[in-house]
Amino acid sequence: MNTEIRIVGTGSYLPEKVLTNFDLEKIVDTSDKWIRERTGIKERRIAAEYQATSDLGTEAALRALKMAGISPAEIDLIVVSTITPDMFFPSTACFIQKNIGAKNAAAFDVMAACSGFLYGLATVEGLVRGGRYKKVLLVASETLSKITDWEDRGTCVLLADGAGACVVVPDKEKHLLSYNLGASGEFGHLLYMPAGGSRLPASVETVKNKKHCLKMKGNELFKIAVRVLAEAGMKAIQEAGIKPEDISLFIPHQANWRIMKACARRIGIPEDKVFITIHKYGNTSASTIPIALDEAVREGRIKEGDLILLDAFGGGLTWGACVIRW
Ligand code: UT7
């Protein structure tokens, strides 16, 4: 019986437009040196005006399907993680379903901010193991530039756009060795977008006061992020019945190089096993992990049998980690 799940294809898409730290120096009071030293970011990608989240996700999805050798018509479920949907509804998953022609697929979105890919993977795991879905497309796609306050140097130097995807199928062998998810709603105010929902519907006032932009208390988040990421990562390793030294590649959420480094040190993973994309892509929320995963696979950094640790933290607050035997 195929009661386990396996990732059989990965894909990613980054918009063409590159925004460097030097470009940002012209927009806000910041410097390339500050951004590099405090975050590890050198440049990031920004979606074109005409590109919505589903457009990025569609490209990533098609690349993952190509690697998997599976046609869109075979896909029976599409799950999309995003905090920057094309619109409230229809879901971004429905737009991607239409774009790729996956006419036999159910489609819905999950929202767990930067932990979205791991929440999505856990959701897919349950549905595939339940036996009902056999060829699933999991996409994370974000256009954070569209909810960025370009006058707020505390956030605009971090946020970026991009999409990652994977194809999940049932398998005999156990590949997802462990996972854990968590949330702490009382810290929601540290990272959020105040307006546009039922609490504060869109109005002239909300637009004027930039309440449709992402707000973040970066410093407070930083401290929680290191602790929570390390705890989730260690729990996933322990529950997988392995040791930190067994991990071949650690792919943490790419929010800040200093957070990733501190977290790897706490877990006991050497820096050369931490896969980094933040220098070139910045923080793309739910997309950072699947983008990095796809790059690592395509660069040959992940081989069959390798043990991979994925570890994320973000708005909600939410977090999650998993160990995969590739
Ligand atoms: O995606 C998941 C959730 N997000 C995170 O986990 C993000 C976590 N937080 C961070 O990555 C960091 O806290 C930041 C990168 C956002 C900020 O770095 P920091 O080292 O925590 O800086 P800070 O907020 O403590 O600010 C230090 C100084 C302040 O100036 P004063 O008060 O010391 O004079 C800031 O005003 O740096 C100033 N500053 C900047 N200076 C130049 C803040 N942003 C900038 C900037 N350029 N862009």
Side-chain angles (χ1 to χ4, degrees):
M1 268 280 279
N2 288 349
T3 55
E4 302 294 338
I5 65 160
R6 177 171 204 173
I7 295 175
V8 289
T10 60
S12 59
Y13 172 79
L14 280 307
E16 263 173 45
K17 186 181 170 188
V18 176
L19 186 72
T20 67
N21 291 347
F22 297 106
D23 295 328
L24 281 163
E25 284 181 356
K26 294 176 200 139
I27 302 172
V28 283
D29 179 16
T30 191
S31 68
D32 170 59
K33 186 173 183 296
W34 190 96
I35 303 171
R36 265 190 296 106
E37 289 178 0
R38 298 288 182 123
T39 72
I41 303 171
K42 290 181 185 159
E43 57 186 44
R44 72 285 289 142
R45 301 299 182 89
I46 303 294
E49 218 169 298
Y50 67 85
Q51 282 179 311
T53 295
S54 67
D55 299 324
L56 276 53
T58 296
E59 293 299 327
L62 289 172
R63 291 171 191 188
L65 286 169
K66 191 169 179 202
M67 187 191 282
I70 288 175
S71 72
E74 293 175 74
I75 292 294
D76 49 21
L77 177 66
I78 300 175
V79 178
V80 175
S81 297
T82 186
I83 52 164
T84 46
D86 287 24
M87 50 189 80
F88 258 177
F89 66 90
S91 68
T92 301
C94 283
F95 286 115
I96 293 177
Q97 185 228 17
K98 180 193 71 171
N99 291 349
I100 66 173
K103 55 182 189 300
N104 299 311
F108 66 91
D109 290 358
V110 296
M111 190 185 278
C114 306
S115 316
F117 182 74
L118 289 171
Y119 269 69
L121 188 62
T123 305
V124 167
E125 189 240 20
L127 291 168
V128 172
R129 293 192 73 181
R132 180 67 186 81
Y133 295 98
K134 305 219 179 313
K135 287 179 182 166
V136 181
L137 189 57
L138 173 60
V139 182
S141 186
E142 303 283 12
T143 48
L144 296 179
S145 67
K146 315 257 184 182
I147 58 163
T148 297
D149 176 354
W150 291 101
E151 289 176 348
D152 175 13
R153 67 177 184 174
T155 54
C156 76
V157 302
L158 307 168
L159 308 177
D161 305 336
C166 65
V167 177
V168 178
V169 300
D171 199 82
K172 280 196 217 56
E173 311 277 326
K174 196 170 176 69
H175 294 278
L176 183 62
L177 300 190
S178 65
Y179 75 80
N180 62 81
L181 304 174
S184 221
E186 70 266 32
F187 294 116
H189 62 285
L190 297 181
L191 181 53
Y192 73 124
M193 190 173 86
S198 57
R199 181 72 61 197
L200 196 55
S203 68
V204 173
E205 281 302 298
T206 60
V207 173
K208 203 165 76 193
N209 295 318
K210 296 195 169 180
K211 299 243 161 122
H212 299 273
C213 292
L214 180 149
K215 313 283 176 197
M216 182 172 84
K217 293 203 168 71
N219 202 288
E220 287 174 56
L221 273 176
F222 191 105
K223 292 167 209 151
I224 304 175
V226 174
R227 178 176 55 78
V228 167
L229 277 167
E231 282 171 8
M234 288 190 284
K235 193 171 168 192
I237 287 173
Q238 197 187 10
E239 286 178 3
I242 60 165
K243 300 205 165 58
E245 54 269 33
D246 299 326
I247 296 293
S248 326
L249 201 64
F250 176 36
I251 306 182
H253 169 50
Q254 315 274 315
N256 187 318
W257 170 229
R258 289 185 295 142
I259 294 177
M260 294 187 256
K261 232 181 348 188
C263 171
R265 197 178 316 123
R266 281 197 192 194
I267 298 176
I269 296 174
E271 266 181 40
D272 61 353
K273 286 188 177 175
V274 185
F275 196 76
I276 308 155
T277 58
I278 192 168
H279 55 297
K280 47 185 185 176
Y281 302 144
N283 181 349
T284 55
S285 189
S287 306
T288 71
I289 288 181
I291 290 171
L293 184 65
D294 181 48
E295 286 211 359
V297 168
R298 287 173 196 268
E299 285 172 15
R301 286 285 301 271
I302 300 179
K303 298 190 183 60
E304 203 168 327
D306 280 358
L307 292 167
I308 317 298
L309 174 65
L310 310 181
D311 201 354
F313 164 86
L317 299 180
T318 57
W319 57 88
C322 74
V323 172
I324 297 174
R325 188 190 299 282
W326 201 254

